[in-house]
Amino acid sequence: MDRWKNHIKTLPFDLSGFIIENIHSAEGAFHIQGQSTAQCACCPRCQQSSTTTHGWHDRHPQDLPGLGQTMRLHLQVRRFRCLNTACPQKTFVEQFPDWLPRYARRTTRLTAVLRQVAFEVSGEVGRRILSHFRVIVSGDTLLRIIRQTQFTSACSPRVIGVDDWAFKKGRRYGTIIVDLEMHRVTDASPERPAAIVDNWPRAHT
């Protein structure tokens, strides 16, 4: 523990809402243990505030790498008792929607990096590149992040670039559409480029 004392105050990211209790390195990864400081939370079903702690819940998400190692968070978060007797949600775990979605195995900031890499180089190549930066992820997960991405655009792009990419190399291909003026992804489709060139412009004019 002594050799990591200085890192407690110099983490390469924000971990607000938690007291860091321990940092240790094992098997090429930093393991950061923290405990929530929240004294109250709102029930996700009835929105009533509660200050009654029912117990604790452990979460172990992966975060952005730092100091050349994988970052693993070991977080103790509070489970509260809902004080609304009419609410069917008897207990609930506090949530962190800004940086750690419910049930997520990685932080929002790490997912944003994975999404960017996935769109740039696809799934399997992205997995190999990310492994050099100590990010543990599968090619299937990167493709899943692409499929789950919701695209929003204030107006239809004037100049687009069209390219195909593999859901499963040699078997399933899709098409990615890029706004060449804004330099951002506009859409993704399971169709091949030929169908997109014919149909997509007409649907977005």
Side-chain angles (χ1 to χ4, degrees):
M1 174 63 183
D2 290 342
R3 62 179 300 195
W4 305 117
K5 282 183 177 179
N6 292 333
H7 294 313
I8 291 180
K9 295 183 179 180
T10 59
L11 288 176
F13 49 76
D14 181 33
L15 202 59
S16 60
F18 285 87
I19 294 176
I20 298 175
E21 298 182 317
N22 187 20
I23 298 177
H24 67 276
S25 179
E27 300 179 355
F30 273 122
H31 297 269
I32 302 173
Q33 297 175 343
Q35 187 177 82
S36 171
T37 60
Q39 298 301 313
C40 66
C42 290
C43 174
R45 183 164 300 198
C46 69
Q47 301 304 312
Q48 179 167 322
S49 178
S50 174
T51 58
T52 303
T53 300
H54 179 267
W56 294 88
H57 178 74
D58 294 330
R59 298 192 66 176
H60 307 281
Q62 183 181 185
D63 208 339
L64 290 171
L67 303 174
Q69 298 195 64
T70 300
M71 285 285 182
R72 284 288 185 185
L73 304 181
H74 303 270
L75 306 176
Q76 276 196 323
V77 300
R78 293 181 191 271
R79 180 180 291 277
F80 290 90
R81 187 185 303 278
C82 182
L83 302 180
N84 182 359
T85 56
C87 179
Q89 187 85 30
K90 301 303 181 184
T91 66
F92 61 93
V93 175
E94 60 177 314
Q95 301 298 315
F96 309 91
D98 292 338
W99 64 279
L100 184 60
R102 191 177 185 184
Y103 303 125
R105 297 182 180 179
R106 58 184 174 271
T107 61
T108 299
R109 52 199 171 220
L110 176 57
T111 298
V113 172
L114 300 185
R115 180 178 294 108
Q116 187 65 39
V117 171
F119 274 116
E120 291 290 343
V121 296
S122 79
E124 187 57 28
V125 175
R127 179 196 67 80
R128 294 198 298 269
I129 292 174
L130 288 164
S131 69
H132 294 294
F133 295 94
R134 301 297 188 267
V135 176
I136 302 172
V137 66
S138 69
D140 289 340
T141 295
L142 293 176
L143 295 181
R144 192 179 306 115
I145 290 173
I146 290 177
R147 291 194 291 269
Q148 292 173 346
T149 300
Q150 297 181 353
F151 300 96
T152 58
S153 179
C155 58
S156 297
R158 297 188 307 165
V159 183
I160 63 172
V162 180
D163 198 4
D164 61 352
W165 56 279
F167 284 101
K168 192 168 185 180
K169 192 172 182 179
R171 297 187 181 182
R172 292 180 58 208
Y173 289 85
T175 301
I176 188 170
I177 300 171
V178 179
D179 185 332
L180 296 182
E181 292 182 315
M182 299 298 294
H183 304 288
R184 66 185 181 189
V185 175
T186 299
D187 202 353
S189 170
E191 299 182 58
R192 294 303 299 268
I196 293 296
V197 170
D198 289 338
N199 300 326
W200 196 90
R202 288 199 295 269
H204 293 80
T205 55

